[in-house]
Amino acid sequence: MAKSSPIPDTLGYRAILGAIVPSTNTVVQPEYEGMRVPGVTNHVMRMELPVRPYDDMKKYREALDTEEGNLAEAVRLLVNCEPDVIAHGHSIHSFRGNIDRAQADQDRLAQLAGVPFMTPSVSVVRGLEAMGLKRIAVLTPYWPPADELIRSFFADSGFDVVSQVGLKCQGPTNVARTSLDTIRKAFLELDHPDAEAFVHVGTNLPVSAITEEIEKASGKPLIGVNVATYWNALRSIGIQDRKEGYGRLFAEF
């Protein structure tokens, strides 16, 4: 959607950043607010998604391929505030297939929105590419069918997943209730001598604020899905500000 006026927004005088999150997500919005840079404002639209049945792995796997939600409607409403870029705060659907499929889907959403649209999978890959990383250890809040999908995505996109931990959270709102101590222990379990970096997938898992802590403890960069998506959204519209406190990707690249 083209800007209706050349006059900049008074608060978002550098950029208006739109974000779309699932209706159950309570982590993306506050984490994005923590990552804001001067002159950029964030504007969140929620979309409804059916809840995956975590007590039935066959139905859980089927849901990964069939659930749609109302993403298109959320985009239609969000563009009314004339954002400069949209960040998608929902992970799993963007990790189907490989990076070529993910890029094609991101391009389709950008065409629908009329502005750059950054998906989590493409953003994580761009972060790994920027840092020259190939061997990764992946943390998710998911159950085995989703973890298999994510492992396959990275393998088919040229990365080597040397370690993976899924926390098996029981429903989307419970993901956000995962304690920071549980997350810290999961990264300790995930650590592998062959891994060059950690990757975190799952936008409702509250990892961003402890990214720097995990990096210092392990000596390895952490490419978290929310940090990578916000970073990629800013970079896509030419905003190169670096941000301390959210890991090496945002602080150095």
Side-chain angles (χ1 to χ4, degrees), residues 152-208:
S152 177
F153 171 86
F154 282 116
D156 291 346
S157 301
F159 298 91
D160 183 10
V161 180
V162 301
S163 178
Q164 187 166 357
V165 171
L167 295 175
K168 300 183 177 68
C169 295
Q170 297 185 355
T173 54
N174 279 325
V175 176
R177 299 180 181 126
T178 307
S179 72
L180 295 183
D181 281 344
T182 296
I183 294 169
R184 291 182 181 105
K185 289 175 183 176
F187 277 110
L188 287 174
E189 179 185 352
L190 188 66
D191 204 356
H192 189 286
D194 291 339
E196 297 175 310
F198 293 125
V199 166
H200 147 237
V201 175
T203 62
N204 212 22
L205 193 65
V207 171
S208 298

